[in-house]
């Protein structure tokens, strides 16, 4: 599990194909410092498994067809910057929100309006995800935990503070760029648990007339 608090901005240094699998080599000195084979690392919000870290400042990741189909990492190229976060330690600080690293869909940066020190940025999202995104709720964009400032149909707006602009790739993103999106998993659980109440009374499982 992750929290959406980016630890460092890394760089893809190599992209290679091995059959249907794409192997990325990523440079990230902080994340690599204690990475072990099989560790989970979020790369632009996508939970991936570190493969044979070299003990230096790089590690490798294997992207299978499912990952390539569902995330923006299908367009990964050498030299691209990526947001990196190690899995949350049991004694770590929970600074963002519950992030699984399971990308729900790919959105597009539509507009950004620079302020004096902050930016207001609007993104599109797949229509089927819109119901999970609410004003003042949480959403993960390329692995960054953000608060939704406004929603409008299948778009949402966030306000990026100076730290986010400086310490994540969102400061580099331009209109037209794809981004990985993960909605708040709590919204999905609420939807499932209340599904029986939508459109009528839910079926009760409480024993009646003293039945056990």
């Amino acid at each position: 599990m992750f929290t959406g608090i980016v630890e460092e901005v890394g760089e893809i240094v190599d992209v290679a194909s091995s059959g249907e699998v794409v192997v990325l080599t990523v440079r990230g000195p902080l994340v690599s410092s204690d990475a072990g084979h099989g560790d989970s690392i979020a790369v632009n919000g996508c939970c991936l498994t570190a493969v044979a870290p070299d003990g230096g400042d790089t590690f490798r990741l294997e992207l299978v067809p499912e990952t390539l189909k569902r995330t923006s990492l299908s367009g990964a190229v050498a030299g691209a910057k990526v947001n990196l976060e190690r899995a949350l330690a049991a004694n770590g600080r929970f600074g963002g929100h519950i992030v699984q690293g399971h990308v729900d869909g790919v959105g597009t940066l539509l507009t950004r309006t620079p302020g004096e020190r902050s930016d207001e940025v609007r993104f599109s999202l797949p229509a089927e995800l819109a119901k999970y995104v609410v004003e003042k709720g949480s959403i993960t964009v390329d692995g960054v935990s953000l608060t939704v400032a406004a929603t409008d149909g299948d778009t949402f707006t966030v306000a990026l503070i100076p730290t986010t602009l400086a310490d994540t790739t969102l400061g580099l993103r331009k209109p037209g760029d794809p981004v990985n999106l993960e909605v708040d998993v709590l919204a999905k659980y609420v939807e499932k648990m209340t599904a029986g109440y939508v459109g009528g009374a839910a079926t009760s499982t409480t024993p009646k007339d003293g039945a056990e």
Side-chain angles (χ1 to χ4, degrees):
M1 187 179 73
F2 307 91
T3 71
I5 304 300
V6 173
E7 294 187 276
E8 70 176 324
V9 174
E11 180 182 359
I12 297 173
V13 295
D14 185 63
V15 181
S17 294
S18 177
E20 63 180 6
V21 174
V22 172
V23 180
L24 300 184
T25 302
V26 179
R27 177 178 292 114
L30 175 62
V31 168
S32 296
S33 64
D34 63 352
H37 181 76
D39 284 355
S40 294
I41 299 174
V43 180
N44 278 357
C46 181
C47 179
L48 298 172
T49 301
V51 179
D54 65 4
D57 63 356
T58 66
F59 56 93
R60 288 188 292 123
L61 306 159
E62 295 174 328
L63 309 183
V64 297
E66 176 73 4
T67 303
L68 296 170
K69 179 175 68 175
R70 292 183 176 270
T71 78
S72 66
L73 292 177
S74 59
V77 294
K81 303 295 185 181
V82 288
N83 294 321
L84 301 176
E85 180 188 358
R86 291 168 291 188
L88 178 66
N91 63 346
R93 291 184 180 275
F94 205 104
H97 71 283
I98 296 173
V99 176
Q100 296 179 295
H102 301 161
V103 174
D104 290 305
V106 176
T108 302
L109 194 157
L110 298 175
T111 61
R112 66 185 309 148
T113 305
E116 184 177 345
R117 296 188 61 216
S118 63
D119 281 7
E120 185 176 273
V121 186
R122 186 166 63 96
F123 297 94
S124 70
L125 75 163
E128 65 272 18
L129 299 181
K131 61 184 176 180
Y132 302 115
V133 182
V134 297
E135 185 175 336
K136 302 307 177 186
S138 296
I139 191 167
T140 310
V141 179
D142 269 354
V144 184
S145 173
L146 297 171
T147 299
V148 177
T151 64
D152 183 10
D154 58 359
T155 71
F156 68 95
T157 301
V158 297
L160 303 182
I161 63 173
T163 296
T164 302
L165 293 172
D167 295 346
T168 77
T169 63
L170 294 184
L172 306 173
R173 293 282 181 258
K174 305 179 297 297
D177 285 350
V179 292
N180 291 323
L181 301 175
E182 181 184 334
V183 298
D184 191 344
V185 68
L186 296 181
K188 295 180 183 179
Y189 282 121
V190 170
E191 177 186 50
K192 184 169 184 177
M193 289 187 292
T194 60
Y197 294 88
V198 177
T203 300
S204 175
T205 58
T206 303
K208 295 182 180 180
D209 300 325
E212 296 183 359

Coordinates of all heavy atoms in Angstrom, one line a residue, residues 64-117:
V64 N 3.9 -6.1 -17.9 CA 3.2 -7.2 -18.6 C 2.1 -6.5 -19.4 O 1.8 -5.3 -19.3 CB 2.6 -8.2 -17.7 CG1 3.7 -9.0 -16.9 CG2 1.6 -7.6 -16.7
P65 N 1.5 -7.3 -20.4 CA 0.5 -6.7 -21.3 C -0.6 -6.0 -20.5 O -1.1 -4.9 -20.9 CB 0.0 -7.9 -22.1 CG 1.2 -8.8 -22.2 CD 1.9 -8.6 -20.8
E66 N -1.1 -6.5 -19.4 CA -2.2 -5.9 -18.6 C -1.8 -4.5 -18.2 O -2.5 -3.5 -18.2 CB -2.5 -6.8 -17.4 CG -3.6 -6.2 -16.5 CD -5.0 -6.2 -17.0 OE1 -5.2 -6.8 -18.1 OE2 -5.9 -5.7 -16.4
T67 N -0.5 -4.3 -17.7 CA 0.0 -3.0 -17.2 C 0.1 -2.1 -18.4 O -0.3 -0.9 -18.3 CB 1.3 -3.2 -16.6 OG1 1.2 -4.1 -15.5 CG2 1.8 -1.8 -16.0
L68 N 0.6 -2.6 -19.5 CA 0.7 -1.7 -20.7 C -0.6 -1.3 -21.3 O -0.8 -0.2 -21.8 CB 1.5 -2.5 -21.8 CG 2.9 -2.9 -21.4 CD1 3.5 -3.9 -22.5 CD2 3.8 -1.7 -21.3
K69 N -1.7 -2.1 -21.1 CA -3.0 -1.8 -21.6 C -3.7 -0.8 -20.8 O -4.4 0.1 -21.3 CB -3.8 -3.1 -21.7 CG -5.2 -2.9 -22.2 CD -6.0 -4.2 -22.3 CE -6.2 -4.9 -21.0 NZ -7.0 -6.1 -21.1
R70 N -3.5 -0.8 -19.5 CA -4.3 0.0 -18.5 C -3.6 1.2 -18.0 O -4.2 2.0 -17.3 CB -4.7 -0.9 -17.3 CG -5.7 -2.0 -17.7 CD -6.1 -2.8 -16.5 NE -7.1 -3.7 -16.8 CZ -8.4 -3.5 -16.8 NH1 -8.9 -2.3 -16.5 NH2 -9.3 -4.5 -17.0
T71 N -2.3 1.5 -18.3 CA -1.6 2.6 -17.8 C -0.9 3.4 -18.8 O -0.7 2.9 -20.0 CB -0.6 2.2 -16.7 OG1 0.6 1.6 -17.3 CG2 -1.2 1.1 -15.8
S72 N -0.4 4.6 -18.5 CA 0.3 5.4 -19.4 C 1.7 4.9 -19.6 O 2.5 5.5 -20.5 CB 0.3 6.9 -18.9 OG 1.0 7.0 -17.7
L73 N 2.2 3.9 -18.8 CA 3.5 3.4 -19.0 C 3.7 2.7 -20.3 O 4.9 2.4 -20.7 CB 3.9 2.5 -17.8 CG 4.0 3.2 -16.4 CD1 4.2 2.1 -15.4 CD2 5.1 4.2 -16.4
S74 N 2.7 2.5 -21.0 CA 2.8 1.9 -22.4 C 3.6 2.9 -23.3 O 4.2 2.4 -24.3 CB 1.5 1.6 -23.0 OG 0.7 2.8 -23.1
G75 N 3.6 4.2 -22.9 CA 4.4 5.1 -23.7 C 5.7 5.5 -23.1 O 6.3 6.5 -23.5
A76 N 6.2 4.7 -22.2 CA 7.5 5.0 -21.5 C 8.6 5.1 -22.5 O 8.8 4.2 -23.4 CB 7.8 4.0 -20.4
V77 N 9.5 6.1 -22.3 CA 10.6 6.3 -23.2 C 11.8 6.6 -22.3 O 11.7 7.2 -21.2 CB 10.4 7.4 -24.2 CG1 9.4 7.0 -25.2 CG2 10.1 8.7 -23.6
A78 N 13.0 6.3 -22.7 CA 14.2 6.7 -22.0 C 14.3 8.2 -21.8 O 14.0 8.9 -22.8 CB 15.5 6.2 -22.7
G79 N 14.6 8.7 -20.7 CA 14.8 10.1 -20.4 C 13.5 10.7 -19.7 O 13.6 11.8 -19.2
A80 N 12.4 9.9 -19.7 CA 11.2 10.4 -19.1 C 11.3 10.4 -17.6 O 11.9 9.5 -17.0 CB 10.0 9.6 -19.5
K81 N 10.8 11.5 -16.9 CA 10.8 11.6 -15.5 C 9.5 10.8 -14.9 O 8.4 10.9 -15.5 CB 10.7 13.0 -15.0 CG 11.9 13.9 -15.6 CD 13.2 13.4 -15.0 CE 14.4 14.3 -15.5 NZ 15.7 13.9 -15.0
V82 N 9.7 10.2 -13.8 CA 8.6 9.4 -13.2 C 8.6 9.7 -11.7 O 9.6 9.8 -11.0 CB 8.7 7.9 -13.5 CG1 8.4 7.6 -14.9 CG2 10.1 7.4 -13.1
N83 N 7.4 9.7 -11.1 CA 7.2 9.8 -9.7 C 7.4 8.4 -9.0 O 6.9 7.4 -9.5 CB 5.8 10.3 -9.3 CG 5.5 11.7 -9.8 OD1 6.4 12.6 -9.7 ND2 4.3 12.0 -10.3
L84 N 8.2 8.4 -7.9 CA 8.5 7.1 -7.3 C 8.1 7.2 -5.8 O 8.3 8.2 -5.1 CB 10.0 6.9 -7.3 CG 10.6 6.8 -8.8 CD1 12.1 6.6 -8.6 CD2 10.0 5.6 -9.5
E85 N 7.6 6.1 -5.3 CA 7.2 5.9 -3.9 C 7.4 4.5 -3.5 O 6.8 3.6 -4.2 CB 5.8 6.4 -3.6 CG 5.4 6.3 -2.1 CD 4.0 6.6 -1.8 OE1 3.2 6.9 -2.8 OE2 3.6 6.4 -0.7
R86 N 8.1 4.3 -2.4 CA 8.2 2.9 -1.9 C 6.9 2.6 -1.1 O 6.2 3.5 -0.7 CB 9.4 2.8 -1.0 CG 10.7 2.9 -1.7 CD 11.9 3.0 -0.7 NE 11.9 4.3 -0.1 CZ 12.9 4.8 0.7 NH1 13.9 4.0 0.9 NH2 12.8 6.0 1.2
A87 N 6.6 1.3 -0.9 CA 5.5 0.9 -0.2 C 5.6 1.4 1.3 O 6.7 1.5 1.8 CB 5.4 -0.7 -0.2
L88 N 4.4 1.7 1.8 CA 4.4 2.3 3.2 C 4.8 1.3 4.2 O 4.3 0.1 4.3 CB 2.9 2.7 3.5 CG 2.7 3.3 4.9 CD1 3.4 4.6 5.1 CD2 1.2 3.5 5.1
A89 N 5.8 1.7 5.1 CA 6.2 0.8 6.2 C 5.2 0.9 7.3 O 4.4 1.8 7.4 CB 7.6 1.3 6.7
A90 N 5.1 -0.2 8.1 CA 4.1 -0.3 9.1 C 4.2 0.9 10.1 O 3.2 1.3 10.7 CB 4.2 -1.6 9.9
N91 N 5.4 1.4 10.3 CA 5.6 2.5 11.3 C 5.7 3.9 10.5 O 6.2 4.8 11.1 CB 6.8 2.3 12.1 CG 8.1 2.2 11.3 OD1 8.1 2.1 10.1 ND2 9.2 2.3 12.0
G92 N 5.3 3.9 9.2 CA 5.4 5.1 8.5 C 4.3 6.1 8.7 O 3.3 5.8 9.3
R93 N 4.5 7.3 8.3 CA 3.5 8.4 8.4 C 2.5 8.3 7.3 O 2.9 8.1 6.1 CB 4.1 9.8 8.4 CG 5.0 10.1 9.6 CD 5.5 11.5 9.6 NE 6.3 11.8 10.8 CZ 5.8 12.3 11.9 NH1 4.5 12.4 12.0 NH2 6.6 12.5 12.9
F94 N 1.2 8.4 7.6 CA 0.2 8.3 6.6 C -0.1 9.7 6.1 O -1.1 10.3 6.6 CB -1.1 7.6 7.2 CG -1.9 6.9 6.1 CD1 -1.9 5.6 6.0 CD2 -2.7 7.7 5.3 CE1 -2.6 4.9 5.0 CE2 -3.5 7.1 4.3 CZ -3.4 5.7 4.2
G95 N 0.7 10.2 5.2 CA 0.6 11.6 4.8 C -0.5 11.9 3.8 O -0.9 13.1 3.7
G96 N -0.9 11.0 2.9 CA -1.8 11.3 1.9 C -3.1 10.6 2.1 O -3.9 10.9 3.0
H97 N -3.5 9.6 1.3 CA -4.7 8.8 1.5 C -4.4 7.3 1.1 O -3.3 7.1 0.6 CB -5.9 9.3 0.8 CG -5.9 9.2 -0.7 ND1 -5.1 10.0 -1.6 CD2 -6.5 8.3 -1.6 CE1 -5.3 9.7 -2.8 NE2 -6.1 8.6 -2.9
I98 N -5.3 6.4 1.2 CA -5.1 5.0 0.9 C -4.9 4.9 -0.6 O -5.8 5.2 -1.4 CB -6.2 4.1 1.4 CG1 -6.3 4.1 2.9 CG2 -6.0 2.7 0.9 CD1 -7.5 3.4 3.4
V99 N -3.7 4.5 -1.1 CA -3.4 4.3 -2.5 C -2.9 2.9 -2.7 O -2.0 2.5 -2.0 CB -2.3 5.4 -3.0 CG1 -2.0 5.1 -4.4 CG2 -2.8 6.8 -2.8
Q100 N -3.6 2.2 -3.6 CA -3.2 0.8 -3.8 C -2.2 0.6 -4.9 O -1.5 -0.4 -5.0 CB -4.5 0.0 -4.2 CG -5.5 -0.1 -3.1 CD -6.7 -0.9 -3.5 OE1 -7.4 -0.5 -4.5 NE2 -6.9 -2.0 -2.9
G101 N -2.1 1.6 -5.7 CA -1.2 1.5 -6.9 C -1.8 0.7 -8.0 O -1.1 0.2 -8.9
H102 N -3.1 0.5 -7.9 CA -3.9 -0.1 -9.0 C -4.6 0.9 -9.8 O -5.6 1.5 -9.5 CB -5.0 -1.1 -8.4 CG -4.4 -2.1 -7.5 ND1 -5.1 -2.8 -6.5 CD2 -3.1 -2.6 -7.4 CE1 -4.3 -3.6 -5.9 NE2 -3.1 -3.5 -6.4
V103 N -4.0 1.2 -11.0 CA -4.5 2.3 -11.8 C -5.9 2.0 -12.4 O -6.1 0.9 -12.9 CB -3.5 2.6 -13.0 CG1 -4.1 3.6 -14.0 CG2 -2.2 3.0 -12.4
D104 N -6.8 2.9 -12.2 CA -8.2 2.7 -12.6 C -8.4 3.1 -14.1 O -9.3 2.6 -14.8 CB -9.2 3.4 -11.8 CG -9.3 2.8 -10.4 OD1 -9.6 1.6 -10.2 OD2 -9.1 3.6 -9.4
G105 N -7.6 4.0 -14.5 CA -7.8 4.5 -15.9 C -6.7 5.6 -16.2 O -6.0 6.1 -15.3
V106 N -6.7 5.9 -17.5 CA -5.8 7.0 -17.9 C -6.6 8.2 -18.3 O -7.6 8.1 -19.1 CB -5.0 6.5 -19.1 CG1 -4.1 7.7 -19.7 CG2 -4.1 5.3 -18.7
G107 N -6.2 9.4 -17.7 CA -6.9 10.6 -18.1 C -5.9 11.5 -18.9 O -4.8 11.1 -19.2
T108 N -6.4 12.7 -19.2 CA -5.6 13.6 -20.0 C -5.6 15.0 -19.3 O -6.6 15.5 -18.8 CB -6.1 13.8 -21.4 OG1 -6.2 12.5 -22.0 CG2 -5.3 14.7 -22.2
L109 N -4.4 15.6 -19.2 CA -4.3 17.0 -18.7 C -4.9 17.9 -19.8 O -4.5 17.9 -20.9 CB -2.9 17.4 -18.5 CG -2.7 18.7 -17.6 CD1 -1.3 18.7 -17.0 CD2 -2.8 19.9 -18.5
L110 N -6.0 18.6 -19.4 CA -6.7 19.5 -20.4 C -6.2 20.9 -20.4 O -5.9 21.4 -21.5 CB -8.2 19.4 -20.1 CG -8.9 18.1 -20.2 CD1 -10.3 18.2 -19.8 CD2 -8.8 17.5 -21.6
T111 N -6.2 21.5 -19.2 CA -5.7 22.9 -19.1 C -5.0 23.1 -17.8 O -5.2 22.4 -16.8 CB -6.9 23.9 -19.1 OG1 -7.8 23.6 -18.0 CG2 -7.8 23.7 -20.4
R112 N -4.1 24.1 -17.8 CA -3.5 24.5 -16.6 C -3.4 26.0 -16.5 O -3.1 26.7 -17.5 CB -2.1 23.8 -16.3 CG -1.0 24.2 -17.2 CD 0.3 23.4 -16.9 NE 0.6 23.4 -15.5 CZ 1.1 22.4 -14.8 NH1 1.4 21.3 -15.5 NH2 1.4 22.5 -13.6
T113 N -3.8 26.5 -15.4 CA -3.9 28.0 -15.2 C -2.9 28.4 -14.2 O -3.1 28.1 -13.0 CB -5.3 28.4 -14.8 OG1 -6.2 27.9 -15.8 CG2 -5.4 29.9 -14.7
P114 N -1.7 28.9 -14.5 CA -0.7 29.3 -13.5 C -1.2 30.5 -12.7 O -1.8 31.4 -13.1 CB 0.5 29.7 -14.4 CG 0.2 29.1 -15.7 CD -1.3 29.2 -15.9
G115 N -0.9 30.3 -11.4 CA -1.1 31.4 -10.5 C 0.2 32.1 -10.1 O 1.2 31.8 -10.8
E116 N 0.2 32.9 -9.1 CA 1.5 33.5 -8.7 C 2.5 32.5 -8.2 O 3.7 32.5 -8.6 CB 1.2 34.5 -7.5 CG 2.4 35.3 -7.1 CD 2.1 36.3 -6.0 OE1 0.9 36.6 -5.8 OE2 3.1 36.8 -5.4
R117 N 2.0 31.5 -7.5 CA 2.9 30.4 -7.0 C 2.3 29.0 -7.2 O 3.0 28.0 -7.0 CB 3.3 30.6 -5.5 CG 4.1 31.9 -5.3 CD 4.6 31.9 -3.8 NE 5.5 30.8 -3.6 CZ 5.6 30.1 -2.4 NH1 4.8 30.5 -1.4 NH2 6.4 29.2 -2.2

